[in-house]
Each structure stands twice: as structure tokens, then as C-alpha cells.
Amino acid sequence: MWNKWLFTRVDNSGLIFFRIAFGLLIALEAIGGIFTGWIRRTLVEPDFTFNFIGFEFLQPLPGDLMYYYYGLMGVFGILVMIGFKYRFSMFCYTIMWASVYLMQKSSYNNHYYLLMLLCLIMIFLPAHKALSFDAWKNKAIRSISMPRWVWLFIVLQLWIVYSYASVAKLYPDWLDGTVPELLMRSKSDYWLVGDFLQKPWIKWVIAYFGLIFDLLIVPMLLWKRTRLPFFILAIFFHLFNSFIFHIGIFPYLSLAFCVFFFPTQKVNKYLLRNKKEHYDGEEVIVPENNTVLKLAIALWFVIQISLPLRHWLIKDNVLWTEEGHRLSWRMMLRTKSGRSTFKVVEKGTTDTIIVKKQHYLSRKQRRIISTKPDVIWQFAQRLKEDYAKEGKDIQVFVDAKVSVNARPYERLIDPKVDIANEEWNYFAHHDWILPSNLDK
């Protein structure tokens, strides 16, 4: 039964169209990073970046080389779109994007994580079997069908993302409209809609429309009766996010995913006019390595389902500690502001140096240094390394206070703990992060 369900051949029009759209969008993402100044602010201006802990070896290329790096990524995106050396091009873009993602956290975004996962997935999917340079050059790989597991894989991955995004909103500050109100308050100067977004009822619409949309969008697109109205809602939802939050290609990538929910006959007819044939058979072709494939798929989804749950195993509220926040589809759930002081004391002395953060950090980095405990820890390690080059063994004490969702400021870090000599554990609570009053 499982073999029949997973390996029955279905038309591949949706996947082919998605490859074309995906290639174009990832090319635009790379090229856009150059012309919007994102690369300059995030990767060129800083003297160093706050990488994902454990990936310290990943740092931006010196000088202007990151512009060329992104230009090459754009080229690989175009090659994916036209299907030229598809798997190689997709692999190269994946490695380059993952490297940038892991080398910096100043611009952390769940969408960047999603793009990394999608790039990795697309390497292994047969998205180059039609309307591609590869298929034009090599007739042996041409196909108008694909195994059903490809469709299932993509839909289930989307379902996980949207479901966790919805469930994460089930907490008081979202349900009472506090977070949407704060998010819209920062948009008051927007042309045409700024004043409208400040109306009292807008926060309720955003709070509950966002929650319900994330919860229902995948099942409603799967159901024929609700597919069209929810697709129209998806267009509004994602274009609204694009205009208000300026989140790059991701609203359009989300809309491109909708192609997997519509009948492939219509996709073939209206979106792939040059793909003459449509597959109507139900042939079952079970590959020789099907057991390995099934185990790989199962392992992937065990990780995807488990990883966002890890913060429940870590002490205190993830909104406060940030422990387990990343890679968990916790999107636009809170606003934070903070202030911090870093004090350096050389061991064996009582001399205290107040660190001037502007001498070490870019403006973008200074915006996150006071609210993210892992970044605070990394900066303390950086200070320790710098002073060690001068032959000094130091302690670093941090006094950081944070406001979550416009609440009164509370102390985040124990100011008596030498952060520079603490160890970091990805899957455990750090006692130098003080408890909060969020749940009281």
C-alpha cells in the first residue's frame, strides 16, 4: 500500500513551473541583496559577524568580495530557472546560501531558514525533467511525470511550517492584539495606509486573520470547494505582508507553492504553454532503493516536527530567553528592545573597562546585542579573544535589560556572572539568563 501511494506516477507540471519560479526568485533574492544595501549593512560593514554557534569558521569574504559572491549566486539562480546543469547549480546555490545563513544572525529570519530547506530539498527533486536545458540536451531524462512522494513531500513541509506558525500565536500577547498593534504602530508613516493601520480594530483583524489563515491555508487549498477562495485570500495575505513588512521574495515564493494544489491539467494548460503533454496514467514504479528513500523521508520529517518543539524542554519562556527560538517557525511574535553594558575586568586587578560597543559593532549589530543571550555570549567570547592577543586574561560582566512587547524593562543577564568563561549549550537553559515575569 505504501509503495503504491508513494510511487504512483503523477503529472509533473506543478513541479516544473515551481522550478522556473523558484529559480527566478532565488536569483532576485541574491541580486536584490546587492542593490538594496543588505550585503553592505550585514556582511561588509561589520568587522565580524555573529554566526550560528559552532560555525565560527564561516565569516564574510574580505572587501567587496561578498558582492561578487552574491552575483555568482544570482547566476546559479538563473541556471536553476532554465534547468542548466540543474542539480549542480541547485547544489552550489544551496551551499552558498546556507553559508551566508549560518555566518550571520543580525538579519535572522525564519524565511531565510525556509529557503535553505527548500534549496536542499530541490537538489533531490526531478524538477529538470521538462522545459529545461538539461532535458532539451539529453532526451533520456525527459519526463512528464514524477512519483507522488514528491508532491506529498512539498505539501507536508508547507503544512508543518504553517501549522507551527499558527500554534505559536496562541499566547496572550498575540490573542489580545498587543503584538499586532505594536507591529502596526511602527508603520504609521507608511504612504497611504499608515493612518489606516492605526485604527483600533486593525489589530484584531491581523491577530485572528493571521492565526486562522496559517492554521487552515493548506487543508483549505487541498479541498476543491475552498481552494479558489483561499487562494484569493492567500494573494491578499502575502501581498499585504510584502508591502507592510518588506520581506523580499518570500510572499511570492509562498504564492508559487499554491501551484501544487491546483489540477495539473490547468497548470499545464495555462502556466506551461510549451509543455505539450499531460500525464494521465497511474503507473507505479518502485525504485530499487525505495527502503532507503522512505527512511530518509521519515527521518527528515521527524526532525522537522521535533526541532520546533525543543523550547518546551528548556526552562523559562522562549520569548524571554530566545533558547529554542530559531528554526522553530516563530514568526513576528514579539517586539523587543534592550540596553546593555559590557564591563571588562582583567583577572588579578580591580580595574574595570566599560566597553564602547560602537568600536566593535555595526549599527545593525548593536540593535540585537542587548536582547539575544547567545549574541551577548558570543560578543563576550570575542572580547576575551581580543584581549588575549594583548596577553590579558579577562572577565566580562554584562548588565542587560530587556522589554518584551512594550512591558517594563527587566534584567536579562546576571551581572555577577563572568559570561566570557561560560560554556554554551544549544539544548539546555543557561542559568546566567535571569528568569522573567512574562508568565506571572
Side-chain angles (χ1 to χ4, degrees), residues 212-225:
I212 295 170
F213 178 88
D214 287 345
L215 183 65
L216 296 181
I217 183 60
V218 171
M220 292 300 99
L221 286 174
L222 286 171
W223 191 19
K224 182 178 179 181
R225 291 186 178 182

Side-chain angles (χ1 to χ4, degrees), residues 152-167:
L152 284 169
F153 197 105
I154 293 172
V155 170
L156 186 53
Q157 180 65 59
L158 281 178
W159 207 334
I160 290 171
V161 173
Y162 277 113
S163 296
Y164 275 118
S166 178
V167 171

Side-chain angles (χ1 to χ4, degrees), residues 89-323:
S89 300
M90 192 70 259
F91 174 81
C92 290
Y93 193 101
T94 301
I95 293 298
M96 297 178 78
W97 179 264
S99 297
V100 172
Y101 175 79
L102 294 170
M103 77 171 57
Q104 64 83 29
K105 290 185 290 194
S106 297
S107 291
Y108 177 81
N109 191 314
N110 277 283
H111 295 130
Y112 295 161
Y113 171 49
L114 176 60
L115 183 54
M116 184 173 69
L117 294 182
L118 291 175
C119 286
L120 182 59
I121 291 169
M122 289 294 287
I123 294 173
F124 300 98
L125 300 188
H128 61 310
K129 296 297 183 75
L131 295 186
S132 70
F133 183 90
D134 291 349
W136 171 75
K137 187 176 180 181
N138 183 3
K139 294 181 180 180
I141 71 168
R142 292 181 189 177
S143 177
I144 60 173
S145 66
M146 64 182 184
R148 185 186 279 137
W149 70 260
V150 173
W151 179 86
L152 284 169
F153 197 105
I154 293 172
V155 170
L156 186 53
Q157 180 65 59
L158 281 178
W159 207 334
I160 290 171
V161 173
Y162 277 113
S163 296
Y164 275 118
S166 178
V167 171
K169 293 180 174 67
L170 296 173
Y171 84 102
D173 285 3
W174 184 271
L175 297 176
D176 67 9
T178 296
V179 175
E181 183 179 13
L182 291 171
L183 291 174
M184 293 305 105
R185 191 178 297 170
S186 64
K187 317 298 179 186
S188 60
D189 60 344
Y190 272 32
W191 173 77
L192 191 63
V193 299
D195 291 337
F196 176 75
L197 294 175
Q198 309 313 307
K199 294 186 179 298
W201 54 270
I202 288 292
K203 66 179 183 181
W204 300 109
V205 174
I206 292 174
Y208 286 92
F209 180 79
L211 189 156
I212 295 170
F213 178 88
D214 287 345
L215 183 65
L216 296 181
I217 183 60
V218 171
M220 292 300 99
L221 286 174
L222 286 171
W223 191 19
K224 182 178 179 181
R225 291 186 178 182
T226 54
R227 183 176 297 139
L228 184 58
F230 268 78
F231 176 61
I232 294 171
L233 284 177
I235 294 173
F236 170 79
F237 178 80
H238 292 301
L239 292 184
F240 175 86
N241 284 341
S242 177
F243 179 71
I244 299 299
F245 297 110
H246 300 157
I247 48 179
I249 68 169
F250 300 99
Y252 308 98
L253 183 59
S254 299
L255 289 175
F257 273 121
C258 292
V259 74
F260 289 105
F261 297 93
F262 283 90
T264 55
Q265 295 93 331
K266 292 185 177 180
V267 175
N268 190 45
K269 180 178 180 181
Y270 296 111
L271 298 179
L272 298 176
R273 303 295 291 273
N274 292 322
K275 183 175 178 287
K276 305 298 184 182
E277 299 175 281
H278 178 268
Y279 182 79
D280 291 315
E282 292 187 354
E283 186 179 10
V284 179
I285 302 178
V286 181
E288 293 182 2
N289 62 343
N290 69 90
T291 300
V292 174
L293 178 60
K294 286 184 283 190
L295 287 174
I297 293 173
L299 178 61
W300 174 273
F301 285 114
V302 166
I303 294 172
Q304 290 300 308
I305 293 170
S306 302
L307 198 59
L309 298 174
R310 72 192 188 281
H311 70 85
W312 291 106
L313 304 177
I314 302 174
K315 182 181 176 182
D316 214 335
N317 193 324
V318 63
L319 288 169
W320 176 254
T321 68
E322 300 280 325
E323 294 169 318

Side-chain angles (χ1 to χ4, degrees), residues 2 17 30 42 176 180 204 264 266 303 324 343 363 390 430:
W2 279 108
F17 174 81
T42 306
D176 67 9
W204 300 109
T264 55
K266 292 185 177 180
I303 294 172
K343 299 177 182 180
R363 181 180 300 179
E390 302 174 10
H430 300 84

Side-chain angles (χ1 to χ4, degrees), residues 47-93:
D47 294 329
F48 65 95
T49 59
F50 291 110
N51 52 270
F52 275 67
I53 297 171
F55 292 88
E56 288 77 13
F57 60 92
L58 291 174
Q59 286 293 317
L61 299 174
D64 292 335
L65 289 179
M66 288 308 297
Y67 294 111
Y68 296 101
Y69 182 99
Y70 263 72
L72 182 58
M73 284 175 62
V75 171
F76 282 126
I78 295 298
L79 295 181
V80 169
M81 182 182 72
I82 65 175
F84 180 82
K85 301 292 183 183
Y86 168 75
R87 294 197 192 278
F88 174 77
S89 300
M90 192 70 259
F91 174 81
C92 290
Y93 193 101

Side-chain angles (χ1 to χ4, degrees), residues 7-27:
F7 300 113
T8 295
R9 306 295 293 187
V10 297
D11 185 79
N12 65 0
S13 297
L15 180 63
I16 301 304
F17 174 81
F18 183 76
R19 185 209 78 226
I20 296 169
F22 185 70
L24 174 62
L25 289 171
I26 61 176

